[in-house]
Amino acid sequence: MLEDTSFAIHPGQKKQVKNRNFNDIGKVIKFEQTANGATVQTESGDLKIVFYRADIVRFVLNPFGDTTLASSPALIAEPESVDFLAEDADEDILLQSAKLTVQIKKNPVRLTVSDQDGNVLIREAAKGMGYNHSNEVICFKEMDVADHFYGFGEKTGFLDKRGEKMTMWNTDVYAPHNPETDPLYQSIPYFMTLRNGSAHGLFFDNTFKTTFDFKTEKDGYSFGAEGGQIDYYVMSGPEPKDVLEQYTALTGRIPIPPKWAIGYHQSRYSYESEQEVRELANTFLEKGIPLDVIYLDIHYMNEYRVFTFDRARFPKPAQLVSDLKEKGIRVIPIVDPGVKEDPEYKIYQEGVQGGHFCKYIEGKIYLGDVWPGNSAFPDFTSSRVRKWWGEKHEFYTNLGIEGIWNDMNEPAVFNETKTMDLKVIHENEGDPKTHRELHNLYGLMMGKATYTGMKNQLEGLRPFLLTRAGFAGVQRYAAVWTGDNRSFWEHLQLSLPMVMNLGLSGIPFAGPDVGGFAHDSNGELLTRWTQVGAFTPYFRNHSAIGFARQEPWSFGEKYEKIIKKYIEIRYQWLPHLYSLFAEAHRSGTPVMRPLMFEYPHDANTYQLSDQFMVGDNVIVAPIMQPGIEHRAVYLPEGQWIDYWTGEEWAGEQHHLIKAELDVLPVFIKKGSLVVQGELKQTTEMKDEKLTVHLYYGDCTDYSFKLYQDDGISFDYENGKCLTKEMNVICQDGKVDLTITDRGKFQPDWKTVELVIHGVCDNISVSVNGIVKSAIKKNEQMFTFQL
Ligand code: GLC
C-alpha cells in the first residue's frame, strides 16, 4: 500500500486541517439555583451545574439545543442530596459544597473549580468552552507547570500523558502498537491530574469521537468531541485513591471475579480440535504447571458462526468441558458480534426476524465483512436485543461454560474505515442515534448483554467476561486484555504503563497477551514476560496463528523451569491478590498500581513506567530487555526488602539490582504484610495452610485486609465472606498484630502461620494481646502459629 511508503508524507498529501473556528459560549444572561446546583443561561445555551456529591460536580451545556441531563450508559450514579451555598454577585456566581467551590465569571463565562482549601483544581482562563459550526464542542483549561496526567484507558507510550494528544475511537489495530498508535480498542474519556502531590479527576461523558490534547498549547490543555454536549464531571480527590473512589462511584466497580479467573490462562489462535485441547490440558497436568483456563479461538465454530461448534473438530463439546472441569480447568470460547449472513443459520434468521441487527435509516440491515464473511451486527443499544443475545448464551452455559471472550467488538470490520458505516442507526431505547455517535459504546453494551445473560443462566455462579473493546464503565462487566500486541521486548515494556493507566481508569482487571500475540516469541522473552504476568491482574498467554507456539514448554527445559516457577508463584500469591481484587470491588483501587498512586508527593515516581506496585507494599521491577541482568530500581520512602534474598534496600534512592534470568526483582516494604497460600495445580484446590509474612521494620499503622469467600458465587453480596483485618505495629523488637474478623464465612484454611522476616535476635510477638512463642527459627525468620 502506498500509505505504508514515504508517499504518505508526499507534499501533496497534506491532510486538510478542519476549520476549527471555535465560538466562545459568551456571557451569563440569567442564573437560577436548582435542587442540586444551578442552571446558568448563557448566550449559547443553558449551562447546568449539578453536585453529585460534595466532592463531585457535573457541568453540562448543549450549544446546539436544549441541555439535557441524560447521561451515557457509563453512568450508574444519581446525584445525591448535597448541601451547598449559592451566591449571585455582580461579576461572578459562586456555588460551594463542603468539598468544592465553583466560580462562574459572568462575562465572558469562565469556570474555576477549587477545593475546600481554595486550591484551584480546574480553571478556564483566556479560553473557555466553545463550539463550531461542524457541531464540535471543546473545553480549554489552564495547565500548571506541575501537572501530570494519568488514566485515558488503554494508551501506548509512557505513564504520564503530559505532552500527548489522544483520541477516543474504538479501533481494531493489528499493526504494531507504537508510541504513536492511537486510538486502540478502548475509549475511557477520563483522566487524573496530579499536581504537587494532590490529585483531581475529570470525566468527559461524551460518546462521540473525543480528543484530549495536552500537546498543542504550552500552558493549557483541551478536550473536545465531534458532536454531542459538553458534559463533564470534576472529582476533587485529593489523594489518587479518592479520585478512583469518586470516578468509580460514577461509573461502577468490578464484581469480585470468580477465583479461577485470576489463575493462569492459556490461549492460542487457535487450539483447533478437541484432541488438541485435551492434549494441552494433559501436558499442563503431567508437567505440574498450574492452569485454570483454556481458550477456544474462532476455529471451534462452524465456519465462524457464533453459538455453534464445528462438530468435526469438536464432536463432544459438553464432554470436553466437563472432563476438563473435573481437572479444575475451565473452557472459555470466543464470541464475536458479527453474525454470518446465512438464511439457513438460526441466529441470523432470529436476528433478521426479530429486528435485532443494526440497520440503515431506510431499513436495510448493515452487513460488514468479518471472520465469517458478510455479517450482521446486533444492535446492543436496545435492551430487547441485549436480552435476546444474552439468552443465546444458554448454548454455552448448557455445556458447562462459565466464561466468554468478546472480541472484534469495536466493532471491527474488514474495510478501509475498520468499522461499521457511520450512517447506520442504533435504536438506543427509542432515541435513535447514528453509529457516529454511539460507536464507542458498542463493546460496553455487548459486554452488558453478555455478562447479564451469562449471569442469569449461571444461576448464582459468577461469570467471567473478557473484552477487547469498551467505554467508561466496562469494568462492571468485563476484564480487558490489550489486544493484538507483538512478541517484542518493546511491547512488554509498553504493557506496564498501559495496564497501570487502565487501572487508574477504573479498570483494575486487565493485562496484555503474555509472550506477545503476533510475531515469534522466544524463550527469554516468554520467561521475562511470564514473570511480569504472574503479578499483573489478568494473566493469559495468547499467540497468533502462523507464529511460534508459546506454551510454557515451547522453548526448552531451561525456560520451562523458570516459567513454571513463576506460574506457581502466582498461585501462591492468590490469597493476597484475591484480597486486592476485593479491595478494587469495594473502592475502585487498582490491583496493579503505578508508584505515583501510593507516593504522590515523590516526583521520582511521576513518570516511572517500568516498575509497578501490587497493592500498597510490593514493588515489581522487571527486566524487560534481552541479555540484560541488571537494572536501576527506584524505591520510595521507607525500607525495602528483596523478596528473594531478604537483602535490605534504603528508600528514596535508586539502586542497581542484579537479576539473572530466573529472578524477577520484587521488593516488599518493611513493616508490612504479604499473605500466601500453598502451591497448587488450579484455584479449585483449597489452601489448607495460609502463611502471613511480616517483614519486620518500624511501623505503627500498617494494615492489610485479607479477604475470603467461596470464590464462585454471589453469596458475598449477602455477607457470606470474611475479611480479616490485620493491623501491625512493629517497634523495638516487638510486634503487635491485631486481627479483627468481619463477616461470616468459614475459611478454607485449617492453620495460619505467621512468619516474621528480618530479625536475628529475640523478638516478642503478640497477637490480639496474647504473647506467642515461636515454633521455628531459622536464619532471619521466626515462625508462629496463629
Ligand atoms: C483478534 C484478537 C485475537 C484473536 C484473533 C482471532 O485478532 O485480538 O486475540 O486471537 O482475533 O480470533
Side-chain angles (χ1 to χ4, degrees), residues 645-656:
T645 63
E647 200 174 335
E648 247 182 63
W649 297 96
E652 290 178 287
Q653 284 181 32
H654 289 85
H655 301 282
L656 183 65

Side-chain angles (χ1 to χ4, degrees), residues 731-736 756 762-766 771-772 784:
Q731 259 167 351
D732 310 326
K734 271 200 190 154
V735 172
D736 277 317
I756 302 191
N762 276 345
I763 183 164
S764 146
V765 172
S766 68
V771 178
K772 297 264 171 186
F784 300 82

Side-chain angles (χ1 to χ4, degrees), residues 670-731:
K670 279 183 86 173
S672 78
L673 298 175
V674 169
V675 182
Q676 292 182 344
E678 293 169 311
L679 287 185
K680 50 177 79 73
Q681 180 64 37
T682 82
T683 56
E684 294 274 283
M685 295 161 107
K686 310 276 183 213
D687 285 314
E688 291 281 316
K689 188 177 117 189
L690 212 64
T691 310
V692 179
H693 296 274
L694 168 59
Y695 294 83
Y696 185 83
D698 276 358
C699 89
T700 46
D701 61 351
Y702 187 77
S703 112
F704 182 76
K705 290 193 175 76
L706 175 68
Y707 176 83
Q708 160 115 95
D709 58 18
D710 65 17
I712 49 165
S713 81
F714 284 94
D715 287 354
Y716 70 88
E717 290 179 346
N718 305 317
K720 284 205 181 140
C721 56
L722 177 71
T723 303
K724 272 188 179 296
E725 203 178 310
M726 303 197 250
N727 291 297
V728 192
I729 302 179
C730 293
Q731 259 167 351

Side-chain angles (χ1 to χ4, degrees), residues 206-227:
N206 184 308
T207 64
F208 281 86
K209 183 186 280 181
T210 53
T211 304
F212 291 79
D213 186 355
F214 300 84
K215 181 187 227 160
T216 307
E217 300 191 24
K218 207 168 67 349
D219 47 13
Y221 66 85
S222 68
F223 53 92
E226 285 195 350

